[in-house]
Amino acid sequence: MSDHSPSGRPGQVTITLDGVPREVPGGRSLAAALIAIDEPVTRHDRAGRPRAAYCGMGVCFECTVTVDGAPLIRSCQEPVRAGMSVDTTGEEAR
């Protein structure tokens, strides 16, 4: 897949975030890309409170998401890439 979005903006890639196509900056971690588009919430705890990347080093697991069907991926350790499907709403993310 291309590292460019359909809009052709350099450095931008298109991912699917909770079923919605989104352009995010490429060349960084998924957590950083989500923060850059003002979508920092990566999961919700069992009480429904939003959670987001905290440590940025893969230690806290607050940034876990489901990527391309694989649960519990630490978004701060996952490079963003064009075409990836990211789910922050699944039961696995709680």
Side-chain angles (χ1 to χ4, degrees), residues 29-92:
S29 73
L30 175 58
L34 295 177
I35 290 169
I37 63 167
D38 202 25
E39 295 283 354
V41 175
T42 52
R43 66 183 192 91
H44 293 81
D45 67 15
R46 297 213 179 271
R49 295 177 295 234
R51 311 299 292 189
Y54 180 73
C55 72
M57 301 182 301
V59 176
C60 72
F61 288 75
E62 292 293 340
C63 67
T64 57
V65 295
T66 298
V67 175
D68 296 331
L72 303 176
I73 301 296
R74 290 172 283 173
S75 62
C76 70
Q77 300 295 298
E78 184 74 9
V80 69
R81 62 184 182 284
M84 68 190 321
S85 178
V86 180
D87 182 13
T88 67
T89 62
E91 183 63 29
E92 297 86 8

